[in-house]
Amino acid sequence: MPKTLYDKIWDAHVVHEDADGTCLLYIDRHLVHEVTSPQAFEGLRMTGRKVRAPEKTIAVPDHNVPTTPDREQGIENEESRIQVDALDRNAREFGVHYYPVNDIRQGIVHIVGPEQGWTLPGMTVVCGDSHTATHGAFGALAHGIGTSEVEHVLATQTLIQKKSKNMKVEITGSLAPGVTAKDITLSVIGATGTAGGTGYVIEYCGQAIEELSMEGRMTVCNMAIEGGARAGLIAPDQKTFDYVKGRPHAPKGAQWDAALAWWKTLKSDPDAHWDKVVTLKGEDIAPVVTWGTSPEDVLPITAVVPDPASFSGGKVDAARRALDYMGLTPGQKLTDIEIDTVFIGSCTNGRIEDLRAAAAILKGQKIKPGLRAMVVPGSGLVRAQAEEEGLAQIFIDAGFEWRLAGCSMCLAMNPDQLSPGERCAATSNRNFEGRQGRGGRTHLMSPAMAAAAAITGRLTDIRDVMAQTV
Amino acid sequence: MDKFTTLSSVAAPMPLVNIDTDMIIPKQFLKTIQRSGLGKNLFDEMRYDNDGNEIPDFVLNQPAYRKAQILVAGDNFGCGSSREHAPWALADFGIKAVISTSFADIFYNNCFKNGMLPIVLPPEQVAILMEDARKGENARISIDLEAQTVTSADGQEFTFELDPFKKHCLLNGLDDIGLTLEKVTAIDSFEAQAAQARPWV
C-alpha cells in the first residue's frame, strides 16, 4: 500500500498496537526544558523510576533564562531560578545530556536540537513544548507533549498514541522577492484557521518549500501547531543531508552511509492517500502581518484592519474583542500602525539566516528614536556566528540590544516583557492576549519585516524598503 | 488519578472561540515546580484587574459559577502551548469536564492525564448546553461517562464519541506509565531490533 512520509515514520516506530488502534510509539529523541519537566522528574522520584534512555534525552534551560549580558551573576527572579536549578539537579541526577546556562551551546531547545545533530530524518522527537514541530523540517515526526507525557517518555521511552490523519499542504511555484518562510506559514494558518490542522499531521511540499533553506523549513514547520496540527514535516533532501552532515551528534563513517540510504527513502509515495489537501500558489503569497490575537488573524501588509462584522459565527465576537485588545479600528491601514518595540528571535525566527535577513535591512540604518528593539539569538552558537559575520555590529550600530540566547520576549517568562498597551513587531509565533506581557500587543511577521518596522516605527511593507535600497 | 464516572453540575458558559492556554493560565504562573495550587490563577488576566481585584463580570467570579464543575466553551478550546498547567489549573479550580465543538490536540490529551473529561459535541448541541449554562443554578448539566452521554437541563440526551482506551483509563483512574511498563518486554525487543536497523539513533 502506498504510504505518506508520516505513515513510514510511524510504522518504523510502533512498539505495540492494540486492537482499537491505540499504539505504543517509540521515541528516538526527548528534548527537555525547565518549565514543563520539574513535575515529571518529581514523579519519577516519587515512584522510584529511572530515565529509561538518558542517552536519548537532552536537557537545556531556555524559557526562564535572562538574556541580558549580566546573567552570569545568576537569575534574580526566585521562581525562575528555582526552576532552572531544578533542571540542573534533575539533569545531573538522572544523567541526561545537558547544556547549562553558561555553555555556549545553550539556547532555545528547538534550535539546539538540530544544531547539535540530535535531530535526524526519520526520527520521532518529542518535547514538553508545542513548537517541537520545528524538527519536522528534517523529515522527523516531532510534536509537543504535556508534562504527564514527559514523565511517560522519561520512564518508558514511548508514548501512547493514536495515529493522526494525513494532510498535504502544497506551496507551488516560487516566492516573490521579500516573501519568506514566515509568510508561507502564517498564510497557511490564515487560509486554514487555527483549528484547520486539528487531528492531522501536515506534510509541507511543493517547489516553494523545496527552495527554502533548512532554516526556512524549520520556520514553516515550527508553526504547524498554530494551525492545530499535531506535527508538520518536510521530506528530507540533499539540503537536509548537507545540513546534518558533520554535526556533533550526526552519524559518521559507515553509519552515515547506512543512515543516508534509509533517509533517501523517506518521502511520500506518489499515489499515497491524503485525507485533506491545501494548495497555495507561492507567487500569490504576500509579506503578511497579524492584526489580532490569534495567529489566524493574518493579512497582507497592504491590507486594512478588518471589520468584525465581516466574519461569521463566534469569530465576530472574537474579532471585536481582539480589536479592542489591540487598540485598532476597522479600516485603518496596517502600514499606519505605530509600534514601540521590536523583538527579533524565538524558535520560529532566531536562527542565523533570520539574523542575516534582518541585518541586511538594518545595515547603515538607525531604528526610530525612542523605540525599544532587541535581537535575541536562538543559541549561543548562533550568537557567536552572528558576531563573526559582523551582524551583531550592524544591530548594535542600528540601535538594537544584542542579547544572549533564550526564549525571551516570545513568551515573556523572563524579564523581557511588554508593558500594558505597548505594541511590538515580533518574529515569534503567538499573538495571544498577554503573551508578551499583560496588556501587550503583538504583531507577528518575518525578521526582515520586523527590521523594516524598527526603522520606520510602524508596520512596513518590506518591498517598499527594498525598493529604496536598490 | 481520580476516577471519573458521572457528574452533575452547574456549567459556566465561555462562548469565546479559540480560548488559548495563555488565557487559561498565563505564563507567569508556569514557574511552579508543583502540579497543585494553580486554581486561584485560572484565567488570571480575565478574572482579576491590574490590582488583583476580581472583575465582577467575569463568569467564574459570579456567585452562580464559583463552584461550577463544567465549562461550556467556544470552538477550539485550549489552543496554543503544551502546558499541562492549563488542565492542572482547571482541575485545581474544580472543573472536571469541558464541553466544546473542538479542542486543541495537546490540551485534549493532557485533560485525560488529570482525570478531566473534554467532550466534543456538534455546534447545535453545544448551543443548547451553552443556553443551559447561562441559566446558572437553574439548569444543571449531567454527564455519564460509561454511557457517553450529556444530558441538558430539560432532559435532552446527547451522545459523545470517545476513544475506548482513554475512557477505560478515566473510568478506572489508571496511571498510563504503570500500564505501559506492563509491556516492557515489547519495548526491550523493539529497542534491540531498532539498534540493529538504525544504529545511528
Side-chain angles (χ1 to χ4, degrees):
Chain A
M1 204 176 95
K3 291 179 176 183
T4 64
L5 171 57
Y6 169 49
D7 296 336
K8 291 180 185 183
I9 302 173
W10 175 275
D11 289 349
H13 290 85
V14 174
V15 172
H16 180 270
E17 181 165 358
D18 282 333
D20 72 347
T22 303
C23 288
L24 204 55
L25 203 67
Y26 193 81
I27 302 304
D28 293 324
R29 290 286 181 267
H30 186 190
L31 309 173
V32 175
H33 66 78
E34 80 278 16
V35 178
T36 57
S37 67
Q39 295 87 350
F41 282 111
E42 189 56 24
L44 292 186
R45 224 174 257 124
M46 282 163 61
T47 48
R49 290 169 177 148
K50 290 185 161 54
V51 175
R52 181 182 169 96
E55 74 283 4
K56 295 173 182 170
T57 310
I58 298 98
V60 60
D62 56 6
H63 283 58
N64 275 285
V65 297
T67 59
T68 41
D70 59 356
R71 83 172 175 200
E72 284 174 0
Q73 289 154 28
I75 301 175
E76 202 175 315
N77 181 285
E78 188 184 358
E79 290 171 302
S80 290
R81 188 175 65 242
I82 289 171
Q83 220 168 37
V84 172
D85 287 350
L87 183 73
D88 190 276
R89 189 174 65 249
N90 289 329
R92 295 177 200 279
E93 180 182 330
F94 289 93
V96 305
H97 295 282
Y98 177 48
Y99 303 106
V101 180
N102 56 4
D103 190 310
I104 193 171
R105 297 167 297 177
Q106 179 271 344
I108 306 171
V109 66
H110 306 308
I111 293 192
V112 172
E115 198 168 71
Q116 292 300 317
W118 291 114
T119 307
L120 300 172
M123 281 185 162
T124 47
V125 181
V126 296
C127 175
D129 190 283
S130 56
H131 294 109
T132 310
T134 312
H135 308 265
F138 292 80
L141 175 58
H143 59 87
I145 55 178
T147 298
S148 295
E149 290 179 315
V150 169
E151 185 179 342
H152 192 280
V153 177
L154 288 172
T156 70
Q157 206 58 27
T158 65
L159 260 190
I160 299 171
Q161 289 273 290
K162 273 234 167 131
K163 200 165 173 216
S164 303
K165 289 180 282 187
N166 279 291
M167 175 168 171
K168 177 160 86 168
V169 173
E170 186 174 16
I171 315 294
T172 60
S174 293
L175 298 177
V179 181
T180 68
K182 186 65 166 285
D183 302 298
I184 293 181
T185 203
L186 282 170
S187 298
V188 170
I189 298 161
T192 62
T194 50
T198 303
Y200 295 92
V201 164
I202 295 175
E203 181 175 338
Y204 299 95
C205 61
Q207 187 184 333
I209 297 291
E210 289 164 23
E211 288 174 0
L212 291 176
S213 65
M214 286 313 294
E215 284 87 350
R217 293 178 190 183
M218 284 188 254
T219 300
V220 170
C221 290
N222 173 274
M223 291 190 70
I225 181 70
E226 256 55 70
R230 171 162 295 175
L233 38 73
I234 293 171
D237 60 11
Q238 195 55 45
K239 277 184 194 166
T240 320
F241 311 141
D242 291 344
Y243 181 99
V244 167
K245 193 163 190 179
R247 303 225 165 233
H249 297 278
K252 294 172 180 65
Q255 286 204 357
W256 171 265
D257 297 336
L260 192 62
W262 187 55
W263 295 346
K264 286 182 173 171
T265 68
L266 294 175
K267 56 184 88 172
S268 293
D269 295 327
D271 41 0
H273 171 74
W274 299 98
D275 300 292
K276 188 172 179 177
V277 177
V278 172
T279 306
L280 298 185
K281 286 185 186 164
E283 53 268 32
D284 288 352
I285 297 175
V288 294
V289 294
T290 62
W291 53 268
T293 54
S294 166
E296 70 189 13
D297 299 340
V298 177
L299 280 172
I301 183 66
T302 48
V304 298
V305 174
D307 184 344
S310 65
F311 296 98
S312 59
K315 190 68 188 175
V316 178
D317 280 343
R320 200 167 284 137
R321 181 185 169 94
L323 291 193
D324 184 46
Y325 181 86
M326 294 295 288
L328 299 175
T329 321
Q332 190 176 359
K333 285 170 75 175
L334 292 174
T335 48
D336 284 345
I337 297 173
E338 294 189 353
I339 52 149
D340 30 46
T341 307
V342 175
F343 168 63
I344 296 177
S346 85
C347 59
T348 314
N349 283 123
R351 284 169 287 269
I352 190 68
E353 184 180 277
D354 301 314
L355 304 195
R356 286 181 192 140
I361 301 298
L362 290 165
K363 190 165 189 178
Q365 301 279 345
K366 295 274 183 214
I367 64 170
K368 188 172 181 209
L371 208 73
R372 171 169 63 144
M374 63 169 86
V375 183
V376 185
S379 73
L381 290 172
V382 169
R383 180 181 150 96
Q385 187 175 352
E387 287 176 348
E388 205 178 291
E389 292 183 14
L391 309 180
Q393 201 55 51
I394 293 173
F395 288 121
I396 293 165
D397 290 347
F400 271 77
E401 294 177 50
W402 177 244
R403 297 295 192 93
L404 299 174
C407 298
S408 182
M409 204 189 263
C410 174
L411 87 166
M413 273 190 79
N414 77 348
D416 306 333
Q417 301 185 6
L418 295 181
S419 300
E422 276 188 324
R423 191 183 296 282
C424 181
T427 66
S428 45
N429 41 57
R430 290 199 175 121
N431 51 352
F432 295 159
E433 286 181 22
R435 172 77 179 179
Q436 295 193 285
R438 184 172 182 138
R441 294 160 171 169
T442 304
H443 295 276
L444 302 175
M445 63 196 72
S446 71
M449 290 273 280
I455 297 167
T456 62
R458 54 182 174 76
L459 303 188
T460 298
D461 190 333
I462 185 64
R463 294 166 296 195
D464 296 342
V465 177
M466 289 161 68
Q468 285 168 18
T469 54
V470 169
Chain B
M1 194 174 80
D2 291 344
K3 293 179 184 179
F4 187 111
T5 50
T6 60
L7 179 65
S8 176
S9 167
V10 167
M14 292 194 75
L16 189 64
V17 300
N18 294 331
I19 292 178
D20 57 67
T21 52
D22 279 80
M23 282 183 186
I24 298 172
I25 185 80
K27 71 262 168 187
Q28 60 267 38
F29 306 108
L30 308 187
K31 295 182 180 181
T32 176
I33 55 171
Q34 296 174 324
R35 282 179 160 92
S36 56
L38 290 167
K40 61 180 184 295
N41 303 112
L42 175 69
F43 295 114
D44 193 87
E45 289 177 6
M46 303 164 95
R47 199 166 144 201
Y48 306 104
D49 66 19
N50 288 340
D51 300 322
N53 302 310
E54 285 188 2
I55 298 169
D57 287 350
F58 182 66
V59 60
L60 297 181
N61 288 333
Q62 296 169 23
Y65 300 112
R66 285 179 175 267
K67 294 212 162 93
Q69 293 179 290
I70 300 173
L71 270 189
V72 184
D75 309 344
N76 196 28
F77 186 83
C79 58
S81 118
S82 67
R83 61 189 70 163
E84 199 162 319
H85 309 67
W88 292 340
L90 286 162
D92 197 58
F93 178 88
I95 301 292
K96 292 189 164 64
V98 186
I99 300 170
S100 177
T101 57
S102 60
F103 292 90
D105 187 50
I106 305 176
F107 175 84
Y108 185 81
N109 281 324
N110 282 341
C111 285
F112 291 96
K113 315 292 182 188
N114 294 283
M116 194 186 299
L117 177 61
I119 296 175
V120 178
L121 288 173
E124 58 280 11
Q125 294 177 1
V126 173
I128 291 168
L129 297 170
M130 192 70 79
E131 278 312 305
D132 277 355
R134 288 196 169 102
K135 293 173 190 157
E137 284 289 359
N138 302 319
R140 295 176 83 81
I141 292 174
S142 303
I143 297 167
D144 183 335
L145 176 55
E146 180 63 54
Q148 292 181 221
T149 56
V150 179
T151 308
S152 70
D154 63 358
Q156 295 181 74
E157 196 174 273
F158 308 129
T159 305
F160 60 90
E161 297 287 321
L162 187 62
D163 177 77
F165 176 75
K166 288 189 165 75
K167 177 180 174 180
H168 174 71
C169 290
L170 212 49
L171 277 173
N172 298 290
L174 297 176
D175 157 36
D176 279 356
I177 298 177
L179 288 174
T180 296
L181 287 174
E182 289 172 12
K183 298 188 179 114
V184 71
T185 44
I187 302 173
D188 288 343
S189 66
F190 179 91
E191 222 164 39
Q193 281 169 20
Q196 295 287 319
R198 297 191 297 277
W200 59 85
V201 172

